Amino acid sequence: MSFPFHRAALIAAILSLPASAWAAVLLQNAQWRIELEPATLALTATPAGQAALPLSSGLTPRSVSGLKSDAQAASWQWEDGRFQLSAKLDGADLGLTIAAREPATLELLRQPAAAMGRGLLLPLAEGSYVPAGDPLWLDFLPRFAADGLNTSENLSLPLWGMDHGATSLHWLLLNPFNNTLRIRRDGEGLALTLSHQFNALNLAQPMRLSLHLADGDALAGAKRYRQWLQQQGRFESLADKMRAQPQTAKLIGASHVYLWGNDLLGQADVRDWALWLERLRGDSALARRLRASFDSEAAAVLRAAPARPDAYQRRTLLAAFNQALTAEARAGWLSAKPDWSRLAAPYRRLRAEVLRVFGAALGQPDSWGGGLSTKTLRALRAAGLSRLWLGVDNWEGGLWQPQAVAAGVSAGYLMAAYDSYETALPPGQREDWLTAQQGAAAYRDCGVTLANGRRKSGFQQSGYYTNPDCVRPILQQRTQALHRALGFNSWFLDAYATGMVFDDYTPERRAGQAQLAAGNERSMAWVRDRFAVPVGSENGNAATARGIAFAHGMQVPVLGWGDADLQKNPKSPYFLGRWFPADQPETFFKTVPLKQPYRDIYYRPQYRLPLYQAVFHDSIVTSNHWLYDNLKFSNAYEDNLLAQWLYNVPPLWHLSAASLERRLPLMRCVDRVFQPLHRRLATQPLSGFAWLTSDRQVQQTRFADGSRLTVNFSGQPREVEGRPLAARAMRVQLAGELERTVLASDCAPPTTIAGGGCLG
C-alpha cells in the first residue's frame, strides 16, 4: 500500500508547481518510448510492442525552468540553475547528464522492485544473477549494502541490469565515482536507490549515466560498457599489451601460484643438525647476534636441544634463526629515510656470513630456501608445468633468494613481486608490514586528507591511505632497486585496481576520486612501461583497471569480512585459520567448508554470471583472491573449478615446501585442461553466455572465434544440444577442432581435503 500512497503524494506535490515543471517529457523512436518527469526524474520505459516498465518512481519535486524538448532530447534546470539536466535518446541508449553549480548530494534514481523483472544483473566481482523473490538474496543484499555500495569499489563494473525475459534494461554509470547504490527489500523484490555526491573537488565533472535497451541477453549491459570503453580509448586488449610488453605473453596459459616459505633457510637446508647447533651455540659474532634476538621459548629450546632435535625443536630453532636474520637485514635499510638504493645489500651480506659460519652444516647455497627456492622451481619444471605466474607474499623473499627468482625467469615463468603503496605507516610501527614502510616523509606528507581535515586511516586503521601521485617517487625508487637487484619480470601492486579511491582535500594537491583513480593507473603504467613487464593488482575493478594485465579477486572476492566464525573463532568449523606458521599460514592452506550464505552467494552456479568477462576476457586475466585458492573451501572445489573452466580463467594455488609433493599432481591435472584452452581463447572476446536448462545448471560460454565451452554443474547427466553431457563435466568445442569432454572428478583433490585440514 505504501507505493500508491507515495505516488499520490508525489503527484500532489508536482501539481502544486507550474505546469511547465510537471509536464512529462516524451522521448521516442522506433525501438522504445521514454516518459520522464523533469521535476522528479520519474522514469518509465516502454519497449516497442511491450508493456510500460516503471524504472524510477521519482524524487522529491524540484522547481523546473528553461525546459526545452523534442522527440529525441530534453534539457532543463532545477532551482534556478543550481542543477542543469539533460536527456537524450540515441537508438537503444538513453543518456542522462546532471551538472551542479555547488556541492550537494543528489538522489538520481529510485528504482522500485517491479523494475528488476525476473532478476537483477549485478557485477559483484565477476557477476551475479539475483532472481526476483529469491529468499537468499532478499536477506543478503540489503545487509551487504546496508551502508550503500560504492560503485567504483563495491561493483566490479559501474552498471547493473534488469532481466525482463525477451527484453533487458541496463544502467551504465559513465561517471563511476562519488556514487552510492543502496539496496533494500521491497515486498518480495529489491528496490535500488542511486545518489551522487557533487563536492568541491568534482564540480567540473557532471554525473553521466546511460540506460541501454537490449534483448534478453544477460550480458548486453556489459557488452555495451565494453563498447563505450573502446569508444573512449580506455580498452586495451591482451594482444596489444603483448606487443608492447612481450613478457605479458607468459600469462597466456599460466596457472597462478603463491609461494610460501621465503626466509633464507628451509627445513631441508640443514644437513647436519649437530654441527648447526654447535655453530649456533658458538662464539662467532653472527651466532651471538642471532641468539640475542631469540625469544625466551627459542632460547630455552636452544639450551635443551640434543644433537638430533625433534620436529618441534627444529621448527622453533629454524624459525628463530630466520627471524633474527630478517630483523638484522631490515635494520640495514629500514629507517625514517630509507636508502632504497641499498635495499638489497644487508641481505647479501648476511647470506654470505651465514655461508661462512654455518655453511658446513648446510646444503648447497644455491638450493637454500623453502617455497621460494630452486628446489621448488626444479619440481615445478619436472611436473611439466611449463607456464606459471609465481608470486611471493612480499618482495623480501626475493632479497633472500635471488637465485630462485633468476631460476624462475630462466625457466620461462613470471616471477612477481608483491608490492603496495596504498598505506604509509609511521617509522617504527609494524615493521613486519614491509610495503607500508615508506619513510617518515610519506607518512607526514602523502596521507589523504578528508573533507573534515583529518587524515584517512589506512588499512586496518593503521597509518594513512596515500595519494598515489605523492608516493610515486617512492614507488619509482623502490621498484627500480628491486628490479635492479632481482630482475622480477612481473609486478603485483596491491589495492591500486580495487576501485577504492578517496577525495583528497590536502591544500597543496586537492584532487577528487577520479584524479586519484587516474593516479593509481599512472603508477601501474609506470611500472609496466619502465620494466616492460605485466602488472597486476587486486580485483581489477573497471574504474581503476586501465593498463593492468591480470587481477586477483575477480572470480572469488574477499567474503565474510567481519564474520567471527570465519575470522576470529578458532572453534568454528568455518574458521579460515591463523596467519601462522610463516612458511605455511593456516589462513591460506587450511581447507574448511564455506559457511552459508557465502557458499551459495559466491559459488552456486545458478547465481553466477560472466559480466566482467564479457568486458575484459581478452584484456585482463583474472583469478580468485589470494585468500581463497582452489583448495580453500572443501564444499566448493568442483563448482569453483568448473566455473574457471567455463569462463576460461586460471586456477590459483598456494605452495609451500611441505605441501609441494601433495599438491603438484592436482596442479598438473588442472593445468592439462586449462593451459591449452587458455592459450587458444585468452585473446578472444567472450561473446556470449546462455543457460541451456531451466534450472541454470547447464551453462555455455561462446567466444568470438566460434568456440564454445559447455558445463554441466549438476550431479546428473543432462541432454544438451541433442547429446548427453556427463555430470560435473565440460564439453569443449574449439573452432576447427574435434570436441572433447573433461570431468571435474578427473582432477579431484586428495580425499583428505573433504575432511578439512592442511593439504601439506
Side-chain angles (χ1 to χ4, degrees):
M1 296 295 293
S2 62
F3 179 76
F5 175 80
H6 167 74
R7 186 69 171 169
L10 188 60
I11 292 172
I14 296 172
L15 289 173
S16 68
L17 298 172
S20 62
W22 56 262
V25 167
L26 183 63
L27 308 177
Q28 58 185 336
N29 58 29
Q31 294 170 268
W32 56 334
R33 184 175 73 239
I34 300 293
E35 294 177 66
L36 189 154
E37 295 175 358
T40 67
L41 281 184
L43 185 66
T44 300
T46 307
Q50 300 183 38
L53 301 172
L55 298 183
S56 180
S57 57
L59 317 171
T60 302
R62 295 176 183 267
S63 62
V64 173
S65 60
L67 176 62
K68 299 177 182 178
S69 67
D70 57 32
Q72 304 297 317
S75 62
W76 66 100
Q77 296 180 349
W78 277 348
E79 301 177 3
D80 296 322
R82 184 182 177 198
F83 302 99
Q84 300 83 42
L85 299 92
S86 64
K88 182 178 182 181
L89 191 62
D90 183 7
D93 296 305
L94 170 69
L96 294 175
T97 301
I98 303 96
R101 189 174 59 196
E102 58 192 48
T105 296
L106 193 65
E107 278 195 4
L108 304 175
L109 298 173
R110 288 180 182 170
Q111 178 177 304
M116 72 183 284
R118 298 180 180 184
L120 192 64
L121 317 171
L122 197 62
L124 298 179
E126 174 61 59
S128 299
Y129 184 86
V130 182
D134 189 296
L136 183 73
W137 287 95
L138 287 175
D139 177 66
F140 174 78
L141 263 184
R143 289 188 292 108
F144 179 74
D147 297 325
L149 301 180
N150 178 318
T151 63
S152 69
E153 179 182 359
N154 300 128
L155 300 182
S156 61
L157 308 168
L159 57 86
W160 73 89
M162 298 150 277
D163 175 16
H164 287 272
T167 298
S168 61
L169 290 158
H170 309 266
W171 282 110
L172 279 60
L173 308 183
L174 305 183
N175 179 349
F177 304 107
N178 299 100
N179 303 318
T180 301
L181 184 67
R182 290 183 169 82
I183 303 176
R184 62 178 177 83
R185 182 165 181 167
D186 180 8
E188 292 304 305
L190 295 165
L192 281 63
T193 302
L194 177 70
S195 61
H196 178 77
Q197 182 194 53
F198 293 99
N199 60 43
L201 304 178
N202 70 6
L203 282 179
Q205 301 155 17
M207 177 56 194
R208 295 190 298 133
L209 57 164
S210 176
L211 179 65
H212 179 63
L213 172 69
D215 58 16
D217 181 4
L219 304 186
K223 293 177 180 177
R224 182 66 185 93
Y225 181 66
R226 172 189 170 97
Q227 184 183 46
W228 180 82
L229 288 175
Q230 292 171 328
Q231 292 167 345
Q232 299 297 309
R234 284 190 57 85
F235 184 88
E236 301 165 288
S237 71
L238 276 171
D240 289 339
K241 294 170 187 178
M242 287 189 286
R243 282 189 284 271
Q245 294 89 31
Q247 295 276 0
T248 302
K250 295 177 181 177
L251 281 172
I252 310 303
S255 297
H256 290 227
V257 182
Y258 279 99
L259 300 176
W260 293 88
N262 302 318
D263 292 317
L264 179 60
L265 297 182
Q267 287 281 339
D269 295 327
V270 182
R271 302 294 178 84
D272 187 335
W273 281 95
L275 179 58
W276 188 79
L277 284 168
E278 177 185 320
R279 298 291 173 90
L280 186 56
R281 290 165 175 154
D283 197 40
S284 69
L286 176 60
R288 291 197 306 271
R289 296 198 312 271
L290 296 179
R291 292 196 304 268
S293 293
F294 283 15
D295 61 19
S296 58
E297 180 186 14
V301 170
L302 180 60
R303 288 192 297 270
R308 293 184 178 179
D310 61 28
Y312 160 74
Q313 292 168 327
R314 293 197 300 270
R315 283 197 306 271
T316 302
L317 289 174
L318 195 60
F321 183 91
N322 281 323
Q323 289 168 8
L325 284 171
T326 295
E328 182 170 338
R330 290 174 181 171
W333 64 268
L334 191 54
S335 68
K337 190 177 181 181
D339 183 354
W340 304 114
S341 67
R342 295 186 52 79
L343 183 60
Y347 298 86
R348 293 173 180 152
R349 174 182 59 78
L350 282 167
R351 184 183 176 90
E353 195 172 2
V354 168
L355 178 61
R356 186 173 66 253
V357 175
F358 293 91
L362 303 173
Q364 290 297 314
D366 284 349
S367 294
W368 289 356
L372 180 61
S373 67
T374 56
K375 298 187 291 288
T376 297
L377 272 298
R378 287 194 295 270
L380 293 171
R381 293 186 67 185
L385 295 167
S386 59
R387 293 202 169 204
L388 293 171
W389 178 93
L390 298 174
V392 291
D393 64 321
N394 67 62
W395 34 256
E396 190 173 47
L399 295 172
W400 281 127
Q401 309 298 349
Q403 77 288 348
V405 175
V409 172
S410 178
Y413 299 146
L414 288 171
M415 302 299 295
Y418 187 99
D419 205 356
S420 181
Y421 299 85
E422 189 82 5
T423 293
L425 293 175
Q429 185 182 106
R430 297 190 63 180
E431 293 188 345
D432 59 328
W433 183 358
L434 288 191
T435 59
Q437 302 297 330
Q438 300 182 50
Y443 175 74
R444 181 186 67 239
D445 300 333
C446 293
V448 166
T449 304
L450 302 176
N452 61 13
R454 297 178 181 174
R455 291 291 178 90
K456 174 66 177 175
S457 296
F459 182 64
Q460 296 182 335
Q461 302 301 304
S462 297
Y464 300 133
Y465 281 118
T466 61
N467 181 302
D469 291 338
C470 184
V471 297
R472 190 171 303 115
I474 297 169
L475 173 148
Q476 293 170 340
Q477 294 169 37
R478 193 164 81 186
T479 57
Q480 287 184 109
L482 289 167
H483 190 265
R484 192 162 47 243
L486 303 171
F488 286 120
N489 61 350
S490 179
W491 228 274
F492 187 94
L493 287 168
D494 194 26
Y496 268 1
T498 61
M500 180 182 68
V501 289
F502 311 101
D503 291 307
D504 187 1
Y505 287 84
T506 304
E508 61 272 21
R509 58 160 187 271
R510 288 159 61 92
Q513 292 183 15
Q515 285 89 352
L516 264 68
N520 287 359
E521 292 179 334
R522 281 193 295 272
S523 290
M524 293 186 290
W526 187 91
V527 174
R528 177 200 65 192
D529 296 340
R530 177 66 178 81
F531 309 125
V533 301
V535 169
S537 187
E538 187 178 3
N539 291 8
N541 285 12
T544 45
R546 190 176 185 185
I548 64 171
F550 64 97
H552 294 166
M554 189 52 63
Q555 299 311 306
V556 180
V558 175
L559 53 85
W561 196 258
D563 189 315
D565 281 345
L566 277 66
Q567 308 290 341
K568 296 181 179 179
N569 181 10
K571 294 182 180 179
S572 166
Y574 309 111
F575 180 57
L576 298 177
R578 303 170 298 167
W579 293 73
F580 180 85
D583 60 346
Q584 189 171 288
E586 285 182 357
T587 195
F588 294 103
F589 285 85
K590 180 185 178 185
T591 297
V592 297
L594 180 57
K595 177 184 178 181
Q596 292 288 19
Y598 315 116
R599 165 64 182 84
D600 283 354
I601 291 293
Y602 293 102
Y603 285 96
R604 189 176 178 186
Q606 297 94 314
Y607 294 145
R608 300 186 76 166
L609 192 62
L611 292 173
Y612 190 88
Q613 295 305 310
V615 180
F616 289 115
H617 180 266
D618 59 330
S619 175
I620 300 171
V621 177
T622 63
S623 191
N624 292 10
H625 196 278
W626 78 326
L627 289 172
Y628 319 119
D629 83 335
N630 273 45
L631 287 169
K632 184 59 186 177
F633 297 120
S634 57
N635 58 349
Y637 173 80
E638 282 196 352
D639 278 346
N640 178 63
L641 180 63
L642 287 167
Q644 288 173 338
W645 287 352
L646 178 68
Y647 295 171
N648 192 232
V649 296
L652 182 82
W653 310 98
H654 289 294
L655 271 185
S656 63
S659 68
L660 192 64
E661 183 177 350
R662 297 286 304 282
R663 292 192 168 203
L664 272 182
L666 185 62
M667 292 172 59
R668 184 170 58 239
C669 180
V670 173
D671 180 78
R672 282 198 294 264
V673 176
F674 165 71
Q675 185 179 145
L677 288 181
H678 199 241
R679 293 181 75 159
R680 173 67 184 270
L681 298 176
T683 58
Q684 295 294 319
L686 190 150
S687 57
F689 171 81
W691 296 293
L692 300 185
T693 56
S694 59
D695 62 2
R696 302 199 298 275
Q697 290 269 21
V698 180
Q699 303 179 10
Q700 184 179 85
T701 50
R702 299 186 294 275
F703 298 84
D705 69 345
S707 296
R708 291 180 291 169
L709 303 175
T710 307
V711 166
N712 177 12
F713 285 95
S714 77
Q716 300 297 324
R718 293 293 183 90
E719 191 81 7
V720 179
E721 298 177 330
R723 287 165 295 130
L725 178 59
R728 316 291 281 172
M730 175 174 66
R731 178 180 294 159
V732 179
Q733 296 167 291
L734 297 179
E737 297 185 17
L738 294 175
E739 73 173 48
R740 61 192 177 97
T741 299
V742 294
L743 306 178
S745 58
D746 289 345
C747 293
T751 55
T752 52
I753 263 301
C758 290
L759 184 61

